[in-house]
Amino acid sequence: MSPREAQEFRVVQELENFLLLLEQRIIALAKCTLILQRHDDLPPRFDDFTRTRSLTSECLAFSIVIERRIDQLPEPRQSRVRDRFDTLTVRIWATLLEGSLTFLKAIAREEHLPLGSREVFLHEIKTLYDAYNTLNQERYVGKVEEETLRKCKSAEKILHKIIERAPRLLDLSVPQAD
């Protein structure tokens, strides 16, 4: 094995370890989403949202690191690792889509929104938009489950309604100077 091949082998091994760690973080993120769904009679707590947002940031940041490393591999070595990475990427976004829909449904059921709801609302709308756009990319065709595709359709409908009602839902007014 040449020094270059040995280096490529080490990078692939490191990527395999990174993918395993990413998968473990995705499992933790999915568990947070399940916790959110168990609060049928109560809205998700802000702590649940914060924990979910933190895990989301970890997963997405780690994905960037992994993708950059994959891009540095020569093509023959990229395929297998990229396929697994793409599968995990779909899992991340499917989980985020599920969590966003859960939060938005919980917020919609509340007569009086708890403190911080506006920020949660804005963040989850952005997440829905990003999840929808990511999961509908051609590169993920065949990797997205049917249930997730149905949820993407729900997300699309929610986004259209929100866009139509945006001026009323969002406080877009400019504060006036006294």
Side-chain angles (χ1 to χ4, degrees), residues 6-20:
Q7 174 63 22
E8 288 173 10
F9 180 76
R10 281 191 297 278
V11 170
V12 169
Q13 289 301 108
E14 180 182 61
L15 280 168
E16 291 291 342
N17 288 335
F18 283 177
L19 291 170
L20 182 61

Side-chain angles (χ1 to χ4, degrees), residues 9 43 57 64 73 83 90 95 122 156:
F9 180 76
S57 296
I64 293 167
L73 285 173
D83 184 59
V90 167
T95 302
L122 294 173
E156 183 180 31

Side-chain angles (χ1 to χ4, degrees), residues 30-44 102:
K31 286 179 182 177
C32 279
T33 301
L34 286 175
I35 288 169
L36 297 175
Q37 293 171 356
R38 285 191 222 141
H39 295 291
D40 289 335
D41 54 335
L42 298 171
T102 299

Side-chain angles (χ1 to χ4, degrees), residues 97-98 101 146-156:
L97 177 70
E98 180 72 35
L101 288 171
E146 199 61 40
E147 175 68 17
T148 301
L149 290 173
R150 278 198 308 282
K151 289 177 182 173
C152 274
K153 294 286 186 204
S154 294
E156 183 180 31

